[in-house]
Amino acid sequence: MRFEPVIGLEVHAQLKTQTKIFCGCSTAFGAPPNTHVCPVCLGMPGVLPVLNKGVVEYAMKMALATNCRVEGTSRFARKNYFYPDLPKGYQISQYELPIARHGYVNITLSDGSVKRIGITRIHMEEDAGKLIHDPDRPVSYVDYNRTGVPLIEIVSEPDIGSPEEAGAYLRQLRAILRYLDISDGNMEEGSFRCDANVSVRPEGGEEFGIRTELKNLNSFRFVEKALAYEIDRQIAAIQEDEQVIQETRLWDPEKSITVSMRGKEEAHDYRYFPDPDLVPLVIERDWIKAVEKGLPELPDQRRERFIRDFGLPEYDAGVLTASKEFADYFEDCAARIGNPKTASNWMMSELMGLLNSRGLAVTDSPISAQRLAGLIRLIEDGVITGKIAKTVFDEMADSEKEAKAIVEEKGLVQVSDESELETIIDRILENHPDEVEKYRAGKNKLFGFFVGQVMKETKGKANPQVVNRILKEKLEKS
Ligand code: ADP
Ligand code: MG
Ligand code: ZN
């Protein structure tokens, strides 16, 4: 029997508001421990939370950007549990009345197909503090700077059908958050976290299987690897007539396996109830409309525009718009050159290669969009060949110089002069009579050999179009 996975993701994103969700403390990351705290976020007796309007606005932005319905009335609830990073003994979250429901995002898969993933709900909540465990002594420290930092939780429908789709969905959510500029979306730093629910069922089945929930997934790669492992584990269990049990499992990145953390019977009973310190949140239509009007261009819209206005293939447009900064770079570069596709090619190969090899973000690129455009213009104007351009690019990566200056300094200007090339070609043909004969006898593949010889003679500087034309003429006439 063949099985198929069913996956639903719960994503937490930290919001980039200046201050916390229920007090005026700063949300800035990296401050000395317990310096961004006050009686409210420390859970002192008698204090009262005051909702940060900016958090509601950010949550609404995400809701509208993911096609959710923003609820006119929602409510905060207390989620009760004990843990040292939670000074109040409860987390303020939303439960039965979240701020938004019934949305979706579209993801593009590697075969180019598009799939819709439903979003069940989005709600707001506060983050907990951070425990720091001393590696040398049996002591733990707690930093409350993070308590009360705003989060949104985005819960998907169990519409995700493979680890690859899970990865694409997460990247899409992160891109939207970043386009909206409401979250850093950084998984490694914990500002974007994911719990993955997964079950398997006979292929094409109607009913869902028993699911497990995977935690400790702090990179996209781990999400995909943990899901793949868990799917195999569940299928193997069913095939051996064992029961999959509903439980929470932790991803162990060292061993690349999932291990049981707690079962259903140990599951928390959070005793949710409406928070009596906060009134129900009523959002007026006008506010929703204003936020909707103020939404920036989103990744899907930008991709469509890149296809429409720049004539880019869908694939290119998808890669370029996956990151806002990458798309900005492209637009900046494309505006300065003739053919936008050339900018796309250079960015997807050379530039990405350079950034990856140095572990840099495009915003820290050693070659700015303006300098790359300068290089591309030299190709477009016939000053240098594409081949030479690659060496100029490498040179630019390690200097501040413009492409033009490097080309002039090194004498890399393309040779398009017909008589000069003709002389070189005549000499090459003369020196290779056997090859010429074979070519004329029908061995067309040898054409490349001659082009190679010309390039060797000219150190890659010969204008390929002119070389091709002259070579054809000379070889054809016998
Ligand atoms: P909880 O709050 O206990 O985690 P939810 O009902 O909120 O439970 O579901 C959490 C996530 O689990 C959602 O993303 C949902 O799509 C997913 N999910 C629910 N049932 C299954 C299942 N059988 N297999 C895989 N995912 C599931
Ligand atoms: Mg859950
Ligand atoms: Zn505070």
Side-chain angles (χ1 to χ4, degrees):
M1 197 196 284
R2 292 178 59 82
F3 290 88
E4 64 182 13
V6 172
I7 299 166
L9 301 182
E10 296 164 88
V11 170
H12 285 91
Q14 249 179 27
L15 299 178
K16 289 205 295 188
T17 50
Q18 296 285 311
T19 56
K20 294 184 179 182
I21 182 169
F22 298 119
C23 63
C25 292
S26 165
T27 56
F29 185 76
N34 301 308
T35 54
H36 292 166
V37 292
C38 74
V40 173
C41 55
L42 287 175
M44 297 293 177
V47 297
L48 286 173
V50 177
L51 179 59
N52 180 342
K53 190 174 176 185
V55 173
V56 180
E57 188 173 319
Y58 282 13
M60 278 162 65
K61 281 187 178 175
M62 189 57 182
L64 294 167
T66 55
N67 310 290
C68 287
R69 186 181 80 206
V70 175
E71 302 291 351
T73 304
S74 68
R75 187 154 68 185
F76 286 95
R78 290 186 181 181
K79 179 178 180 177
N80 299 280
Y81 65 97
F82 172 78
Y83 207 63
D85 65 6
L86 189 74
K88 293 196 298 295
Y90 61 84
Q91 177 194 28
I92 305 179
S93 181
Q94 294 192 299
Y95 189 54
E96 82 297 8
L97 295 176
I99 185 169
R101 294 182 206 261
H102 305 305
Y104 66 87
V105 293
N106 290 324
I107 58 170
T108 306
L109 302 171
S110 56
D111 65 358
S113 64
V114 174
K115 181 170 174 181
R116 175 177 289 201
I117 307 294
I119 289 177
T120 315
R121 52 185 274 148
I122 296 180
H123 67 253
M124 299 174 281
E125 60 188 25
E126 57 180 346
D127 210 343
K130 213 176 172 134
L131 289 181
I132 300 138
H133 306 289
D134 193 321
D136 304 320
R137 295 186 300 150
V139 174
S140 293
Y141 304 92
V142 63
D143 177 5
Y144 289 125
N145 283 349
R146 203 176 68 180
T147 52
V149 168
L151 300 173
I152 46 173
E153 177 169 346
I154 305 152
V155 181
S156 87
E157 289 290 304
D159 288 347
I160 300 165
S162 69
E164 186 211 346
E165 287 181 22
Y169 169 77
L170 288 173
R171 286 187 180 89
Q172 180 72 355
L173 283 192
R174 187 181 62 171
I176 295 171
L177 288 165
R178 288 181 171 172
Y179 270 68
L180 292 171
D181 200 23
I182 60 172
S183 172
D184 290 337
N186 194 325
M187 241 180 165
E188 285 76 13
E189 283 172 14
S191 58
F192 187 78
R193 303 168 220 156
C194 167
D195 297 338
N197 297 270
V198 55
S199 60
V200 298
R201 65 179 174 193
E203 210 168 65
E206 285 284 315
E207 261 169 62
F208 289 152
I210 308 273
R211 73 175 146 129
T212 57
E213 181 170 351
L214 311 181
K215 288 187 181 283
N216 196 32
L217 307 171
N218 48 22
S219 77
F220 288 98
R221 208 166 48 89
F222 288 165
V223 173
E224 293 182 28
K225 282 176 80 173
L227 281 170
Y229 175 87
E230 187 60 17
I231 291 162
D232 287 347
R233 189 191 70 83
Q234 291 185 11
I235 293 173
I238 293 169
Q239 281 170 339
E240 314 240 304
D241 265 342
E242 285 164 25
Q243 286 280 320
V244 172
I245 48 174
Q246 190 175 337
E247 59 179 355
T248 303
R249 297 178 70 89
L250 280 187
W251 170 246
D252 179 340
E254 310 263 284
K255 301 200 185 110
S256 286
I257 58 170
T258 65
V259 287
S260 179
M261 179 175 132
R262 58 168 183 255
K264 199 181 182 181
E265 54 288 354
E266 302 152 68
H268 290 298
D269 173 5
Y270 294 117
R271 302 176 343 273
Y272 279 100
F273 63 87
D275 192 310
D277 290 342
L278 288 155
V279 294
L281 174 64
V282 175
I283 300 176
E284 272 157 19
R285 280 281 118 195
D286 285 353
W287 192 19
I288 302 175
K289 278 204 199 108
V291 171
E292 186 156 33
K293 250 183 96 183
L295 287 182
E297 186 180 43
L298 293 166
D300 283 352
Q301 296 163 336
R302 200 170 196 186
R303 198 183 66 226
E304 290 311 310
R305 181 165 64 80
F306 276 19
I307 295 169
R308 199 177 58 234
D309 293 359
F310 295 113
L312 291 182
E314 237 167 80
Y315 175 79
D316 293 43
V319 173
L320 294 173
T321 57
S323 132
K324 181 171 181 289
E325 290 73 23
F326 211 65
D328 289 345
Y329 186 109
F330 168 78
E331 287 204 60
D332 191 359
C333 187
R336 300 163 188 271
I337 61 168
N339 183 1
K341 175 68 174 132
T342 316
S344 170
N345 291 345
W346 277 87
M347 288 180 67
M348 295 199 306
S349 52
E350 270 70 25
L351 186 70
M352 265 196 186
L354 172 67
L355 296 175
N356 287 343
S357 73
R358 300 198 184 173
L360 292 174
V362 69
T363 41
D364 300 319
S365 172
I367 301 177
S368 67
Q370 170 258 322
R371 279 171 80 223
L372 179 60
L375 175 66
I376 294 172
R377 271 202 313 271
L378 292 181
I379 313 171
E380 290 185 335
D381 294 345
V383 177
I384 55 172
T385 61
K387 194 155 175 257
I388 289 290
K390 299 213 164 129
T391 66
V392 177
F393 181 91
D394 292 341
E395 185 100 19
M396 289 171 82
D398 293 311
S399 82
E400 309 270 284
K401 289 183 194 143
E402 297 294 331
K404 198 156 170 266
I406 295 171
V407 168
E408 279 165 9
E409 244 167 61
K410 305 224 153 172
L412 298 173
V413 174
Q414 169 165 273
V415 181
S416 305
D417 185 276
E418 303 232 352
S419 63
E420 191 179 341
L421 289 174
E422 217 176 317
T423 316
I424 294 169
I425 289 170
D426 282 341
R427 193 167 59 236
I428 288 168
L429 297 186
E430 223 175 276
N431 291 344
H432 296 92
D434 292 356
E435 282 81 0
V436 172
E437 200 178 310
K438 280 188 200 147
Y439 178 85
R440 287 182 177 149
K443 208 168 169 207
N444 293 334
K445 271 200 302 199
L446 277 170
F447 195 78
F449 164 80
F450 294 115
V451 174
Q453 291 297 313
V454 181
M455 288 303 172
K456 208 165 130 194
E457 283 274 311
T458 59
K459 300 199 173 60
K461 290 187 287 185
N463 180 325
Q465 279 92 39
V466 180
V467 171
N468 280 357
R469 207 189 60 233
I470 300 179
L471 261 178
K472 274 226 175 79
E473 281 168 16
K474 304 237 169 214
L475 285 167
E476 238 71 311
K477 69 167 178 236
S478 43

